[in-house]
Amino acid sequence: MENFPIINLEGLNGEGRKATMEKIKDACENWGFFELVSHGIPTEFLDTVERLTKEHYRQCLEQRFKELVASKGLEAVKTEVNDMDWESTFYLRHLPKSNISEVPDLEDQYRNVMKEFALKLEKLAEQLLDLLCENLGLEQGYLKKAFYGTNGPTFGTKVSNYPPCPNPELIKGLRAHTDAGGLILLFQDDKVSGLQLLKDGQWIDVPPMRHSIVINLGDQIEVITNGKYKSVEHRVIAQTDGTRMSIASFYNPGSDAVIYPAPTLVEKEAEEKNQVYPKFVFEDYMKLYAGLKFQPKEPRFEAMKAVETNISLGPIATA
Protein backbone atom coordinates (compact mmCIF):
# COMPACT_ATOMS: atom_id res chain seq x y z
CA MET A 1 0.00 0.00 0.00
CA GLU A 2 1.41 3.37 -1.01
CA ASN A 3 1.95 5.99 1.68
CA PHE A 4 -0.80 8.34 2.80
CA PRO A 5 -0.30 11.65 0.92
CA ILE A 6 1.41 14.38 2.93
CA ILE A 7 1.74 17.69 1.09
CA ASN A 8 3.99 20.60 2.02
CA LEU A 9 2.20 23.73 0.80
CA GLU A 10 5.45 25.70 0.85
CA GLY A 11 6.30 23.65 -2.24
CA LEU A 12 3.90 25.87 -4.20
CA ASN A 13 6.47 28.66 -4.03
CA GLY A 14 9.21 28.37 -6.62
CA GLU A 15 10.53 25.41 -8.58
CA GLY A 16 8.60 22.79 -6.60
CA ARG A 17 5.19 24.11 -7.66
CA LYS A 18 4.57 21.65 -10.49
CA ALA A 19 5.46 18.63 -8.34
CA THR A 20 3.32 19.91 -5.46
CA MET A 21 0.32 20.48 -7.74
CA GLU A 22 0.79 16.94 -9.10
CA LYS A 23 0.77 15.56 -5.54
CA ILE A 24 -2.46 17.41 -4.79
CA LYS A 25 -3.99 16.12 -8.04
CA ASP A 26 -3.00 12.52 -7.27
CA ALA A 27 -4.34 12.79 -3.71
CA CYS A 28 -7.68 14.16 -4.96
CA GLU A 29 -8.02 11.53 -7.69
CA ASN A 30 -6.85 8.48 -5.75
CA TRP A 31 -7.39 9.15 -2.06
CA GLY A 32 -9.99 11.87 -1.44
CA PHE A 33 -7.81 12.75 1.57
CA PHE A 34 -4.43 14.39 2.15
CA GLU A 35 -2.49 15.92 5.01
CA LEU A 36 -1.10 19.46 4.79
CA VAL A 37 2.04 20.71 6.48
CA SER A 38 3.50 24.24 6.22
CA HIS A 39 -0.04 25.42 5.46
CA GLY A 40 0.44 28.95 6.78
CA ILE A 41 -1.37 28.65 10.14
CA PRO A 42 1.25 29.31 12.86
CA THR A 43 2.15 26.31 15.01
CA GLU A 44 1.96 28.39 18.21
CA PHE A 45 -1.62 29.33 17.33
CA LEU A 46 -2.53 25.66 16.75
CA ASP A 47 -1.01 24.82 20.14
CA THR A 48 -3.32 27.41 21.72
CA VAL A 49 -6.38 25.98 19.91
CA GLU A 50 -5.48 22.49 21.13
CA ARG A 51 -4.83 23.55 24.73
CA LEU A 52 -8.08 25.51 25.02
CA THR A 53 -10.13 22.77 23.34
CA LYS A 54 -8.80 20.11 25.71
CA GLU A 55 -9.31 22.37 28.74
CA HIS A 56 -12.88 23.06 27.67
CA TYR A 57 -13.60 19.34 27.31
CA ARG A 58 -12.20 18.54 30.76
CA GLN A 59 -14.03 21.41 32.45
CA CYS A 60 -17.40 21.34 30.66
CA LEU A 61 -17.99 18.13 28.72
CA GLU A 62 -16.11 15.16 30.21
CA GLN A 63 -18.47 14.62 33.16
CA ARG A 64 -21.53 15.04 30.90
CA PHE A 65 -20.20 12.33 28.61
CA LYS A 66 -19.62 9.95 31.54
CA GLU A 67 -23.19 10.55 32.70
CA LEU A 68 -24.53 9.88 29.19
CA VAL A 69 -22.57 6.61 28.97
CA ALA A 70 -23.89 5.53 32.37
CA SER A 71 -27.49 6.44 31.53
CA LYS A 72 -27.40 4.32 28.37
CA GLY A 73 -25.42 1.46 29.89
CA LEU A 74 -22.81 1.72 27.14
CA GLU A 75 -19.89 0.47 29.22
CA ALA A 76 -21.55 -2.92 29.63
CA VAL A 77 -22.70 -3.54 26.04
CA LYS A 78 -22.27 -7.11 24.79
CA THR A 79 -23.36 -6.65 21.16
CA GLU A 80 -22.40 -4.16 18.47
CA VAL A 81 -23.99 -0.70 18.80
CA ASN A 82 -25.10 0.64 15.39
CA ASP A 83 -27.24 3.65 16.29
CA MET A 84 -24.84 5.97 18.11
CA ASP A 85 -21.18 7.01 18.33
CA TRP A 86 -18.64 7.18 21.17
CA GLU A 87 -18.02 10.92 20.89
CA SER A 88 -18.60 14.18 22.73
CA THR A 89 -19.31 17.06 20.35
CA PHE A 90 -20.45 20.64 19.98
CA TYR A 91 -20.87 22.80 16.89
CA LEU A 92 -19.84 26.31 15.90
CA ARG A 93 -21.32 28.15 12.92
CA HIS A 94 -19.16 30.78 11.18
CA LEU A 95 -20.85 31.58 7.85
CA PRO A 96 -23.14 33.00 6.67
CA LYS A 97 -23.71 34.19 10.27
CA SER A 98 -21.61 33.27 13.30
CA ASN A 99 -23.19 31.81 16.43
CA ILE A 100 -19.96 31.66 18.48
CA SER A 101 -21.14 34.42 20.85
CA GLU A 102 -24.26 32.36 21.65
CA VAL A 103 -22.65 28.96 22.33
CA PRO A 104 -22.78 28.32 26.10
CA ASP A 105 -19.87 27.45 28.41
CA LEU A 106 -17.07 28.90 26.28
CA GLU A 107 -14.45 31.07 27.96
CA ASP A 108 -13.95 34.43 26.22
CA GLN A 109 -10.39 33.54 25.21
CA TYR A 110 -11.56 30.27 23.65
CA ARG A 111 -14.39 32.05 21.84
CA ASN A 112 -11.99 34.59 20.36
CA VAL A 113 -9.39 31.99 19.39
CA MET A 114 -11.99 29.87 17.59
CA LYS A 115 -13.23 32.96 15.70
CA GLU A 116 -9.67 33.63 14.55
CA PHE A 117 -9.12 29.94 13.71
CA ALA A 118 -12.24 29.98 11.51
CA LEU A 119 -10.91 32.98 9.55
CA LYS A 120 -7.58 31.23 8.96
CA LEU A 121 -9.30 28.01 7.87
CA GLU A 122 -11.70 29.88 5.57
CA LYS A 123 -8.72 31.47 3.82
CA LEU A 124 -6.98 28.09 3.52
CA ALA A 125 -10.15 26.45 2.17
CA GLU A 126 -10.52 29.08 -0.55
CA GLN A 127 -6.84 28.73 -1.48
CA LEU A 128 -7.32 24.97 -1.82
CA LEU A 129 -10.46 25.36 -3.92
CA ASP A 130 -8.48 27.48 -6.38
CA LEU A 131 -5.68 24.88 -6.47
CA LEU A 132 -8.31 22.24 -7.28
CA CYS A 133 -9.66 24.51 -10.06
CA GLU A 134 -6.17 24.80 -11.51
CA ASN A 135 -5.67 21.04 -11.54
CA LEU A 136 -9.13 20.44 -13.02
CA GLY A 137 -8.71 23.02 -15.78
CA LEU A 138 -11.58 25.07 -14.36
CA GLU A 139 -11.59 28.85 -14.44
CA GLN A 140 -9.98 30.38 -11.35
CA GLY A 141 -12.68 30.97 -8.73
CA TYR A 142 -15.14 28.48 -10.26
CA LEU A 143 -15.56 26.27 -7.18
CA LYS A 144 -15.87 29.21 -4.80
CA LYS A 145 -18.58 30.72 -7.01
CA ALA A 146 -20.31 27.33 -7.37
CA PHE A 147 -20.55 27.22 -3.55
CA TYR A 148 -21.68 30.82 -3.19
CA GLY A 149 -25.46 30.78 -3.54
CA THR A 150 -27.17 34.03 -2.52
CA ASN A 151 -25.43 34.64 0.80
CA GLY A 152 -22.06 32.99 0.39
CA PRO A 153 -20.85 29.58 1.56
CA THR A 154 -21.87 27.72 4.69
CA PHE A 155 -18.95 27.23 7.07
CA GLY A 156 -18.99 25.57 10.46
CA THR A 157 -16.90 23.52 12.88
CA LYS A 158 -17.63 20.29 14.71
CA VAL A 159 -15.47 20.08 17.85
CA SER A 160 -15.24 16.46 19.01
CA ASN A 161 -13.52 14.47 21.70
CA TYR A 162 -13.33 10.69 21.64
CA PRO A 163 -12.76 9.48 25.22
CA PRO A 164 -11.25 6.08 26.12
CA CYS A 165 -13.72 3.32 25.23
CA PRO A 166 -13.87 -0.04 27.05
CA ASN A 167 -15.39 -1.84 24.03
CA PRO A 168 -14.04 -0.30 20.81
CA GLU A 169 -14.87 -3.48 18.89
CA LEU A 170 -18.57 -2.97 19.72
CA ILE A 171 -19.04 0.79 19.34
CA LYS A 172 -17.36 3.12 16.85
CA GLY A 173 -16.05 6.55 17.74
CA LEU A 174 -17.85 7.64 14.57
CA ARG A 175 -19.56 5.26 12.15
CA ALA A 176 -18.42 5.04 8.53
CA HIS A 177 -19.75 7.76 6.21
CA THR A 178 -18.83 10.20 3.47
CA ASP A 179 -19.16 13.93 4.18
CA ALA A 180 -22.09 15.67 2.52
CA GLY A 181 -20.47 19.01 1.89
CA GLY A 182 -17.52 20.50 0.07
CA LEU A 183 -14.07 20.72 1.61
CA ILE A 184 -13.32 19.48 5.14
CA LEU A 185 -10.33 20.78 7.11
CA LEU A 186 -9.40 18.75 10.19
CA PHE A 187 -7.05 19.67 13.02
CA GLN A 188 -6.66 16.42 14.94
CA ASP A 189 -4.87 15.04 17.97
CA ASP A 190 -1.23 14.24 17.19
CA LYS A 191 -0.93 11.53 19.86
CA VAL A 192 -4.20 9.57 19.91
CA SER A 193 -5.10 8.02 16.54
CA GLY A 194 -8.40 6.63 15.32
CA LEU A 195 -9.33 8.22 11.96
CA GLN A 196 -9.42 5.74 9.08
CA LEU A 197 -10.42 5.95 5.42
CA LEU A 198 -11.55 3.19 3.08
CA LYS A 199 -9.21 2.67 0.11
CA ASP A 200 -9.33 -0.29 -2.27
CA GLY A 201 -11.47 -2.22 0.20
CA GLN A 202 -9.07 -1.69 3.13
CA TRP A 203 -9.27 0.62 6.12
CA ILE A 204 -6.18 2.85 6.20
CA ASP A 205 -5.07 4.92 9.21
CA VAL A 206 -4.83 8.68 8.69
CA PRO A 207 -1.54 9.33 10.53
CA PRO A 208 -1.65 11.75 13.47
CA MET A 209 0.92 14.45 12.78
CA ARG A 210 1.69 17.49 14.90
CA HIS A 211 0.42 20.82 13.49
CA SER A 212 -0.94 19.28 10.27
CA ILE A 213 -4.34 19.98 8.72
CA VAL A 214 -6.04 16.94 7.16
CA ILE A 215 -8.16 17.68 4.08
CA ASN A 216 -10.92 15.50 2.70
CA LEU A 217 -13.39 15.98 -0.13
CA GLY A 218 -17.15 15.90 0.35
CA ASP A 219 -20.00 14.73 -1.87
CA GLN A 220 -20.45 18.18 -3.48
CA ILE A 221 -16.91 18.13 -4.88
CA GLU A 222 -17.66 14.72 -6.38
CA VAL A 223 -20.78 16.09 -8.10
CA ILE A 224 -19.16 19.28 -9.40
CA THR A 225 -16.13 17.37 -10.74
CA ASN A 226 -18.46 14.82 -12.36
CA GLY A 227 -16.79 12.05 -10.37
CA LYS A 228 -13.21 12.95 -11.29
CA TYR A 229 -12.64 13.54 -7.56
CA LYS A 230 -14.65 11.40 -5.15
CA SER A 231 -15.71 11.69 -1.53
CA VAL A 232 -14.31 8.79 0.48
CA GLU A 233 -15.84 6.74 3.27
CA HIS A 234 -14.13 7.24 6.63
CA ARG A 235 -14.69 6.41 10.29
CA VAL A 236 -13.23 6.90 13.76
CA ILE A 237 -12.15 3.88 15.78
CA ALA A 238 -12.51 4.46 19.51
CA GLN A 239 -9.38 3.78 21.55
CA THR A 240 -9.02 2.14 24.95
CA ASP A 241 -6.42 4.70 26.08
CA GLY A 242 -6.32 8.46 25.67
CA THR A 243 -8.89 11.04 24.54
CA ARG A 244 -8.63 12.01 20.86
CA MET A 245 -9.32 15.64 19.93
CA SER A 246 -10.86 16.37 16.52
CA ILE A 247 -11.72 19.84 15.19
CA ALA A 248 -13.36 19.39 11.77
CA SER A 249 -14.36 22.49 9.80
CA PHE A 250 -16.74 22.16 6.86
CA TYR A 251 -16.53 24.65 3.96
CA ASN A 252 -19.83 23.89 2.22
CA PRO A 253 -22.06 25.45 -0.41
CA GLY A 254 -24.63 28.04 0.63
CA SER A 255 -28.02 26.53 1.40
CA ASP A 256 -29.56 27.79 -1.88
CA ALA A 257 -26.52 27.07 -4.09
CA VAL A 258 -27.38 24.96 -7.14
CA ILE A 259 -24.90 22.10 -7.45
CA TYR A 260 -24.25 20.28 -10.73
CA PRO A 261 -21.29 18.94 -12.73
CA ALA A 262 -19.07 21.64 -14.21
CA PRO A 263 -19.90 21.66 -17.95
CA THR A 264 -16.23 21.57 -18.99
CA LEU A 265 -15.79 18.31 -17.03
CA VAL A 266 -18.61 16.58 -18.89
CA GLU A 267 -17.38 15.21 -22.20
CA LYS A 268 -19.18 17.16 -24.88
CA GLU A 269 -19.59 14.29 -27.36
CA ALA A 270 -21.11 12.02 -24.72
CA GLU A 271 -22.84 14.61 -22.60
CA GLU A 272 -26.08 12.78 -21.98
CA LYS A 273 -24.44 9.46 -21.23
CA ASN A 274 -21.53 10.84 -19.24
CA GLN A 275 -23.29 13.20 -16.86
CA VAL A 276 -24.19 10.68 -14.20
CA TYR A 277 -24.59 13.18 -11.38
CA PRO A 278 -27.75 15.15 -10.63
CA LYS A 279 -28.29 18.86 -10.24
CA PHE A 280 -29.94 20.01 -7.02
CA VAL A 281 -30.16 22.73 -4.40
CA PHE A 282 -27.64 22.02 -1.62
CA GLU A 283 -30.21 22.42 1.18
CA ASP A 284 -32.34 19.68 -0.41
CA TYR A 285 -29.35 17.33 -0.44
CA MET A 286 -28.66 18.07 3.24
CA LYS A 287 -32.25 17.25 4.19
CA LEU A 288 -31.85 13.86 2.52
CA TYR A 289 -28.39 13.31 4.02
CA ALA A 290 -29.62 13.95 7.56
CA GLY A 291 -31.46 10.62 7.56
CA LEU A 292 -29.01 8.67 5.41
CA LYS A 293 -25.56 9.82 6.62
CA PHE A 294 -24.34 6.35 7.55
CA GLN A 295 -25.55 4.70 4.34
CA PRO A 296 -23.80 4.62 0.92
CA LYS A 297 -23.75 7.89 -1.01
CA GLU A 298 -24.85 6.43 -4.38
CA PRO A 299 -28.55 6.05 -3.41
CA ARG A 300 -28.47 9.68 -2.24
CA PHE A 301 -27.31 10.80 -5.69
CA GLU A 302 -29.98 8.60 -7.31
CA ALA A 303 -32.68 10.04 -5.03
CA MET A 304 -31.65 13.57 -6.02
CA LYS A 305 -31.90 12.57 -9.69
CA ALA A 306 -35.42 11.28 -9.09
CA VAL A 307 -36.55 14.68 -7.77
CA GLU A 308 -34.38 16.72 -10.14
CA THR A 309 -36.29 19.65 -11.56
CA ASN A 310 -35.49 22.28 -14.12
CA ILE A 311 -33.44 24.43 -11.80
CA SER A 312 -32.24 27.59 -13.49
CA LEU A 313 -28.54 27.24 -14.20
CA GLY A 314 -27.14 30.65 -14.90
CA PRO A 315 -23.46 30.91 -15.81
CA ILE A 316 -21.12 30.93 -12.82
CA ALA A 317 -19.42 34.32 -12.90
CA THR A 318 -15.77 34.03 -11.91
CA ALA A 319 -14.74 37.65 -12.27
Side-chain angles (χ1 to χ4, degrees):
M1 178 64 67
E2 64 263 57
N3 292 331
F4 184 86
I6 296 166
I7 295 166
N8 185 333
L9 272 194
E10 278 187 348
L12 291 171
N13 306 319
E15 293 178 1
R17 181 178 175 82
K18 185 178 178 184
T20 302
M21 290 299 290
E22 192 58 38
K23 280 185 182 177
I24 295 171
K25 180 172 179 281
D26 179 73
C28 290
E29 289 182 353
N30 297 308
W31 288 82
F33 266 80
F34 51 95
E35 199 152 1
L36 292 180
V37 295
S38 298
H39 40 62
I41 300 177
T43 56
E44 302 82 6
F45 181 79
L46 291 173
D47 288 339
T48 301
V49 171
E50 180 173 357
R51 175 176 58 80
L52 294 175
T53 298
K54 291 182 174 180
E55 282 176 7
H56 176 260
Y57 173 72
R58 284 193 298 270
Q59 291 169 7
C60 301
L61 300 173
E62 188 171 31
Q63 187 57 35
R64 284 183 216 168
F65 184 78
K66 288 177 180 175
E67 290 168 4
L68 173 70
V69 166
S71 72
K72 294 186 176 290
L74 291 176
E75 287 191 324
V77 293
K78 301 291 187 220
T79 57
E80 189 169 1
V81 176
N82 292 313
D83 61 350
M84 66 178 299
D85 304 300
W86 189 270
E87 65 173 355
S88 168
T89 64
F90 68 95
Y91 296 87
L92 302 172
R93 187 176 67 245
H94 313 303
L95 296 173
K97 188 171 181 290
S98 173
N99 74 340
I100 290 185
S101 61
E102 301 150 28
V103 176
D105 302 328
L106 300 184
E107 298 281 348
D108 286 346
Q109 185 191 7
Y110 189 34
R111 233 180 268 276
N112 291 332
V113 163
M114 292 306 281
K115 277 185 189 174
E116 189 178 345
F117 192 30
L119 290 172
K120 293 179 187 300
L121 289 171
E122 181 188 351
K123 182 180 173 186
L124 179 59
E126 292 179 351
Q127 178 190 1
L128 288 168
L129 287 178
D130 277 344
L131 294 175
L132 265 58
C133 283
E134 188 176 333
N135 272 336
L136 289 161
L138 294 172
E139 198 172 344
Q140 191 83 346
Y142 184 93
L143 288 171
K144 184 179 173 184
K145 290 292 184 183
F147 279 28
Y148 201 82
T150 305
N151 299 307
T154 309
F155 188 42
T157 297
K158 177 187 177 188
V159 182
S160 306
N161 283 273
Y162 298 92
C165 178
N167 297 298
E169 69 284 356
L170 296 179
I171 183 166
K172 297 287 185 293
L174 181 59
R175 288 160 287 166
H177 63 286
T178 64
D179 288 324
L183 203 62
I184 298 85
L185 305 94
L186 169 70
F187 177 42
Q188 66 168 346
D189 207 289
D190 66 309
K191 295 180 178 66
V192 183
S193 62
L195 179 61
Q196 297 181 329
L197 65 92
L198 189 63
K199 179 169 169 56
D200 302 327
Q202 290 187 308
W203 287 103
I204 308 293
D205 290 328
V206 177
M209 184 179 293
R210 191 156 173 76
H211 301 136
S212 73
I213 301 289
V214 177
I215 305 298
N216 72 283
L217 309 179
D219 294 348
Q220 308 310 305
I221 294 288
E222 178 165 342
V223 173
I224 294 170
T225 66
N226 201 38
K228 192 171 177 66
Y229 296 166
K230 289 186 166 62
S231 59
V232 170
E233 206 171 328
H234 53 285
R235 67 185 185 182
V236 175
I237 298 297
Q239 306 294 316
T240 54
D241 296 309
T243 296
R244 175 179 176 265
M245 177 198 76
S246 162
I247 304 174
S249 296
F250 299 80
Y251 188 99
N252 292 345
S255 59
D256 65 349
V258 179
I259 303 300
Y260 57 96
T264 57
L265 298 180
V266 180
E267 289 177 16
K268 292 290 181 282
E269 66 275 13
E271 194 153 330
E272 292 303 313
K273 189 178 76 168
N274 200 49
Q275 187 167 331
V276 295
Y277 291 91
K279 65 174 180 283
F280 51 82
V281 176
F282 179 61
E283 185 175 35
D284 293 339
Y285 187 84
M286 289 305 292
K287 287 174 184 171
L288 180 72
Y289 179 85
L292 301 173
K293 174 176 178 176
F294 299 109
Q295 296 179 31
K297 63 188 171 184
E298 290 79 10
R300 297 198 291 265
F301 293 149
E302 290 303 314
M304 295 314 293
K305 274 191 206 175
V307 298
E308 192 172 321
T309 55
N310 289 323
I311 302 164
S312 173
L313 301 180
I316 291 179
T318 53

